[in-house]
């Protein structure tokens, strides 16, 4: 019996060692979630860098019709990755990853100039305590929002070449008021390590509000001089932080 116990202990020890070794390995799957008024094509620069560096990248094209629909689209991408995932969200995509990131496959969260609500929190109320952002938003008769194309460059992507920003304005994904007002049930950042990019020139989400959310989540935080579209204008800085998250690095 003693020999059986010893063998069992060895097996358990080897299993734990294997799990620890697996956990120590950098995550190689990255799922990118776009925010409101945008689509997944804005991640091209970040995706190219990550792919070149050996990561398997999936860009979610969530419909922005409701938080439930957008989480479902993100969950599909997570499941198809078939392994540990770094889940990245920009802007409203931060709400999406805060809910979708609760599944075991997600090992790290990266917020890029993103909303990071707490569970059962009305993020708009918290946001109202900070200076208001630009709000040149046009509402359709069926409750979908877009940014006025005439101010899109200034409001959303001031550091992106005008021709590119103009195309982004033309190709906006209308976002439903229902999605923007949704409340998450469980905040993944409470149980998962997180990293946060503060865009210091952001005109859509106040940078101090970004700092507040990053600090509250206990995120490893960097500040990048960039507009709300910092993931487009500064892809190298964003990709570098995602790679640190994949490696579990908690230093800047």
């Amino acid at each position: 019996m003693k020999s059986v116990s010893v063998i069992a202990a060895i097996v358990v020890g080897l299993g734990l060692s294997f799990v620890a070794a697996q956990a120590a390995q950098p995550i190689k799957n990255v799922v990118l979630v776009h925010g409101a008024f945008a689509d997944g094509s804005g991640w091209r620069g970040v995706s190219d860098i990550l792919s070149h560096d050996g990561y398997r990248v999936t860009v979610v094209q969530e419909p922005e019709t409701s938080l439930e629909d957008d989480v479902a689209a993100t969950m599909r991408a997570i499941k198809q990755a078939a392994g540990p995932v770094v889940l990245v969200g920009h802007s409203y995509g931060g709400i999406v990853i805060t809910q979708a990131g609760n599944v075991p496959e997600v090992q790290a969260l990266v917020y890029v100039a993103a909303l990071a609500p707490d569970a059962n929190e009305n993020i708009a109320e918290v946001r109202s305590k900070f200076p208001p952002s630009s709000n040149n938003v046009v509402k359709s008769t069926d409750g979908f929002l877009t940014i006025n194309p005439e101010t899109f460059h200034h409001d959303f992507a001031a550091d992106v070449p005008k021709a590119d920003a103009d195309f982004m304005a033309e190709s906006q994904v209308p976002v439903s008021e229902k999605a923007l007002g949704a409340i998450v049930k469980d905040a993944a950042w409470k149980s998962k390590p997180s990293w946060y990019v503060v865009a210091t020139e952001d005109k859509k989400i106040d940078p101090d509000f970004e700092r507040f959310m990053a600090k509250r989540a206990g995120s490893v935080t960097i500040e990048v001089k960039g507009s709300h579209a910092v993931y487009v204008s500064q892809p190298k800085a964003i990709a570098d932080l995602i790679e640190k998250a994949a490696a579990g690095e908690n230093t800047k």
Side-chain angles (χ1 to χ4, degrees):
M1 293 296 293
K2 183 176 181 180
S3 61
V4 172
S5 299
V6 171
I7 292 171
I10 292 172
V11 170
V12 170
L14 289 173
L16 292 174
S17 297
F18 176 76
V19 170
Q22 288 292 97
Q25 295 298 314
I27 303 166
K28 302 308 290 185
N29 298 300
V30 179
V31 174
L32 304 171
V33 182
H34 67 75
F37 315 116
D39 68 6
S41 64
W43 287 114
R44 177 62 186 272
V46 172
S47 178
D48 284 350
I49 294 169
L50 293 174
S51 296
H52 177 269
D53 292 346
Y55 294 86
R56 294 181 291 273
V57 180
T58 302
V59 179
V60 180
Q61 292 285 19
E62 74 268 24
E64 298 188 359
T65 47
S66 70
L67 179 60
E68 293 79 10
D69 291 344
D70 297 338
V71 168
T74 303
M75 289 297 301
R76 197 173 303 121
I78 292 169
K79 296 298 183 181
Q80 288 176 346
V85 167
V86 177
L87 187 58
V88 185
H90 169 252
S91 190
Y92 160 75
I95 299 179
V96 177
I97 72 168
T98 297
Q99 184 62 58
N102 287 290
V103 295
E105 293 90 338
V106 175
Q107 298 292 304
L109 302 163
V110 179
Y111 291 89
V112 181
L115 297 170
D118 201 348
N120 303 310
E121 177 180 72
N122 184 329
I123 195 70
E125 289 183 1
V126 182
R127 188 175 183 176
S128 68
K129 299 174 183 177
F130 294 81
S133 60
S134 60
N135 195 33
N136 293 324
V137 173
V138 179
K139 181 179 177 181
S140 67
T141 56
D142 58 347
F144 281 77
L145 307 175
T146 54
I147 297 175
N148 185 335
E150 294 183 3
T151 63
F152 187 96
H153 187 200
H154 175 270
D155 294 344
F156 193 94
D159 54 350
V160 173
K162 188 175 186 305
D164 294 337
D166 287 347
F167 181 76
M168 291 172 67
E170 294 166 2
S171 61
Q172 288 183 68
V173 178
V175 60
S176 72
E177 285 187 302
K178 179 182 176 182
L180 290 180
I183 293 176
V184 304
K185 296 177 181 178
D186 299 290
W189 51 260
K190 286 190 169 181
S191 59
K192 306 289 176 77
S194 63
W195 286 253
Y196 198 109
V197 179
V198 173
T200 62
E201 308 299 315
D202 201 327
K203 295 183 176 65
K204 288 305 296 177
I205 300 177
D206 184 82
D208 281 339
F209 185 39
E210 294 176 11
R211 294 180 183 106
F212 164 80
M213 290 182 288
K215 182 178 180 180
R216 180 175 69 173
S219 304
V220 176
T221 305
I222 65 168
E223 299 206 359
V224 178
K225 185 177 181 179
S227 70
H228 192 57
V230 66
Y231 67 110
V232 178
S233 63
Q234 303 285 345
K236 182 66 166 59
I238 307 308
D240 284 351
L241 189 65
I242 293 170
E243 293 189 12
K244 286 184 176 181
E249 295 184 20
N250 58 7
T251 55
K252 297 181 181 179

